[in-house]
Amino acid sequence: MDFRKAFLSFVFILLLSKVGIAQEVIYSTYDKFDLRTDEYGIVGMSGGNLYTYTYSPGNAVLSAYDDSMTKTATVLLDFFPDKIYQVRFIAYPDKIIVLYQALEGNKVVQYAASLDSKGRLKGRPIELGNTKTGIFGATKVYFSSEVSENKKNIIIYSVNDRGSSIDFDARWLDDNLTVVKRSKATFRAENSLEHGDVNLANDGTVYMSAYTTVGAQNYADQFWVLSVAPGGTRFDAKELVLEDKYAANGYLKIDNINNQVYFGGFYSSKKNGSFEGLIYANMDIAGGKFVTTRFIPFDPELIRAAGARHRNHAFDNYEVKQLIVKKDGGFVLISEVHYVTTRSNYTPGYGYYSFYNTPYMTTMVREYHFDDIMALSYNKDGVREWSSFIPKVQYSQEDGGVFSSYALLNSGGSLAFLFNDFNVSHSRIQLATIDAGGATDIHSFSAEGNDYPDWLPRAGKQVSGRSLIVPCFHRKQICFAKVVF
């Protein structure tokens, strides 16, 4: 273990010191863990310690680590019911809030509890709602949660698409877990509706995207930003006019400082056509209207760059993952190739990480593909400043792509993408960096072999301005890697 820590730290320093992104990697010790039955999570920093979460049936545990990733305490969450359905932690400097759902008979029950900075329960957990599961048991998301950027507002909500209406039911909590407001609101349109991103502003206002779809690709032909204040009973709907275009992969982002809601996505002029460009819009919250809406076509140079790896339908299968708004009014849109295919379990096809699962127990096998990353920078006038394509291939089966996608580190002056680049027989950890001018640099080091764990960058969490925690597996064991950059 000591040799592995020293070797990987040395490799990271050697490869990455010249770009100033990563300086050190430190591993925790291993704990027993089975990916097929157990759960894990990164809680964050509280009381000067890093906390992680692991759950095996009937046994929920918080682990505390110091700066050297040495385990200093283990806290048994013995107030948890026997069957846990979903868990979310919110870390504060002096406490931890845990939102958890439990299976109790034929019901899913939503609870919340407050822990001190040592992970000990403060007071009694509170019940925030329950719903019946039906005859097939728990099969979907029953309660969801959002936290405001300042962590002073929390909502527990359910949202259901019901044909031409969307029903929303929410409870607002403060950071002391006091229920301050409750709301039920419904939005209706002439055609079948779906909801998208749900965001919570620092003032407690909820912003949610809603759209109607057409065609085989389910592109949006109408798009709204819905808002409801704490305790409100009606949605305030602001339509983003699409100008006879069709939107896809919309992404909402709240700017709490300037009171703006931003939207980024792709568009097509045909309801079943390929992506032809970007949509960028911002809505002024105080004015209650969209002040900027831009449809930016892909220029020939960008099409050629994208087609180098995907010649037919160059931008299809890209999904918007992040929208970074710059101080000058420009923006960086980050997207990733992602799609799912199916195959018969009698045909060949095996992913590098498939030994963690048993994909051939079913008649049809779902295959998860997460490939190239595309970052596009535009100025305030909609003129492209630079583009960057980060090549990667990630293929897995029946695991939801748990080892795939990436972790994004935004230092302000540069962007860094940490990911596994793997195929059927090989995997390597890559760190790609993009500077303010769009120059891209990619470094890699080998993490293969019996002594090195398999990283899960997508599940990584930035716990401070310069530290990222990434869960890692090694067969039936789990550890956590701390990346200091």
Side-chain angles (χ1 to χ4, degrees):
M1 178 62 67
D2 290 340
F3 171 77
R4 183 182 65 181
K5 288 182 181 179
F7 176 75
L8 283 177
S9 296
F10 169 76
V11 172
F12 248 116
I13 294 170
L14 180 65
L15 291 179
L16 305 173
S17 60
K18 68 177 182 178
V19 296
I21 294 296
Q23 297 176 346
E24 187 179 18
V25 175
I26 307 172
Y27 285 106
S28 70
T29 56
Y30 280 115
D31 288 312
K32 292 182 178 179
F33 189 87
D34 190 335
L35 179 59
R36 295 169 295 182
T37 59
D38 300 347
E39 301 289 340
Y40 65 90
I42 299 167
V43 177
M45 300 295 296
S46 185
N49 290 316
L50 168 71
Y51 284 91
T52 65
Y53 165 77
T54 53
Y55 172 82
S56 57
N59 187 40
V61 171
L62 288 183
S63 297
Y65 299 92
D66 63 17
D67 286 342
S68 301
M69 294 302 290
T70 299
K71 186 181 293 188
T72 59
T74 300
V75 182
L76 181 64
L77 302 178
D78 53 5
F79 60 90
F80 271 20
D82 291 336
K83 296 182 179 179
I84 294 296
Y85 190 52
Q86 289 187 349
V87 177
R88 179 176 185 176
F89 293 92
I90 309 166
Y92 298 81
D94 59 348
K95 64 183 176 183
I96 299 169
I97 287 177
V98 54
L99 310 173
Y100 60 100
Q101 298 171 33
L103 295 172
E104 299 180 3
N106 65 341
K107 297 189 300 182
V108 172
V109 184
Q110 174 72 59
Y111 293 98
S114 182
L115 315 178
D116 66 15
S117 61
K118 296 185 180 297
R120 299 172 299 196
L121 181 65
K122 297 165 56 180
R124 299 184 63 180
I126 61 172
E127 181 179 335
L128 296 170
N130 65 80
T131 186
K132 291 185 178 180
T133 61
I135 60 175
F136 297 105
T139 58
K140 63 178 185 178
V141 176
Y142 296 93
F143 298 98
S144 300
S145 61
E146 288 294 331
V147 183
S148 62
E149 189 176 45
N150 62 8
K151 296 186 180 181
K152 292 184 178 180
N153 290 286
I154 303 167
I155 58 167
I156 304 295
Y157 70 94
S158 60
V159 58
N160 294 289
D161 303 334
R162 303 184 186 277
S164 60
S165 67
I166 296 174
D167 295 336
F168 179 77
D169 186 348
R171 288 177 172 85
W172 277 258
L173 294 80
D174 62 19
D175 55 0
N176 293 314
L177 295 184
T178 301
V179 178
V180 294
K181 295 289 183 179
R182 180 170 181 178
S183 174
K184 289 187 178 182
T186 299
F187 176 68
R188 293 182 174 87
E190 294 181 357
N191 298 316
S192 181
L193 280 165
E194 296 182 22
H195 77 278
D197 295 336
V198 177
N199 292 263
L200 183 62
N202 282 348
D203 67 359
T205 302
V206 173
Y207 294 90
M208 178 171 63
S209 59
Y211 49 92
T212 58
T213 60
V214 294
Q217 301 294 333
N218 290 321
Y219 292 164
D221 63 343
Q222 284 186 286
F223 188 95
W224 298 267
V225 174
L226 310 180
S227 63
V228 60
T233 57
R234 296 179 59 185
F235 279 116
D236 183 18
K238 303 300 180 184
E239 184 173 2
L240 174 63
V241 179
L242 297 177
E243 300 180 5
D244 296 324
K245 296 179 176 63
Y246 302 90
N249 296 323
Y251 181 90
L252 284 187
K253 179 183 178 65
I254 296 176
D255 181 349
N256 285 293
I257 296 175
N258 298 305
N259 292 320
Q260 305 283 313
V261 176
Y262 294 95
F263 171 83
F266 298 115
Y267 74 85
S268 173
S269 62
K270 300 177 181 179
K271 64 181 180 181
N272 292 314
S274 295
F275 297 159
E276 300 172 21
L278 305 180
I279 308 174
Y280 173 72
N282 73 291
M283 186 183 81
D284 180 66
I285 293 175
K289 63 179 181 180
F290 285 95
V291 296
T292 301
T293 302
R294 292 195 178 96
F295 298 89
I296 307 172
F298 297 130
D299 57 83
E301 181 183 352
L302 182 62
I303 294 172
R304 286 193 296 270
R309 283 171 62 84
H310 302 282
R311 295 189 181 279
N312 296 321
H313 312 293
F315 298 98
D316 290 0
N317 296 320
Y318 273 99
E319 293 185 356
V320 178
K321 294 298 182 72
Q322 280 92 18
L323 180 66
I324 301 171
V325 180
K326 296 184 287 187
K327 293 180 180 180
D328 63 359
F331 65 95
V332 177
L333 185 142
I334 299 170
S335 58
E336 179 184 37
V337 174
H338 172 222
Y339 59 97
V340 180
T341 56
T342 59
R343 69 160 69 221
S344 166
N345 65 351
Y346 299 107
T347 58
Y350 202 74
Y352 180 80
Y353 296 105
S354 293
F355 59 81
Y356 284 104
N357 299 282
T358 54
Y360 295 104
M361 298 300 290
T362 60
T363 57
M364 296 297 294
V365 177
R366 289 168 295 184
E367 302 173 308
Y368 296 89
H369 305 261
F370 291 79
D371 297 332
D372 296 358
I373 300 167
M374 176 174 67
L376 305 175
S377 177
Y378 291 82
N379 67 17
K380 62 182 179 61
D381 297 317
V383 177
R384 183 169 61 84
E385 298 173 315
W386 53 259
S387 63
S388 177
F389 290 88
I390 300 172
K392 65 182 178 70
V393 176
Q394 297 170 320
Y395 167 85
S396 62
Q397 298 175 331
E398 292 295 333
D399 66 350
V402 65
F403 293 96
S404 299
S405 199
Y406 62 88
L408 173 65
L409 312 176
N410 183 0
S411 68
S414 62
L415 301 173
F417 300 83
L418 183 71
F419 59 92
N420 294 312
D421 193 6
F422 62 90
N423 52 31
V424 172
S425 60
H426 178 78
S427 180
R428 58 182 178 176
I429 300 173
Q430 297 276 74
L431 185 69
T433 62
I434 305 175
D435 68 17
T440 304
D441 202 1
I442 301 176
H443 297 276
S444 65
F445 67 93
S446 175
E448 297 177 305
N450 293 333
D451 293 332
Y452 304 123
D454 297 315
W455 287 40
L456 288 80
R458 184 172 59 161
K461 185 172 184 177
Q462 193 163 350
V463 297
S464 71
R466 299 178 60 84
S467 298
L468 176 76
I469 306 298
V470 181
C472 307
F473 292 153
H474 182 62
R475 298 297 179 177
K476 291 190 175 183
Q477 299 178 102
I478 189 172
C479 68
F480 294 89
K482 178 181 179 181
V483 184
V484 181
F485 58 94

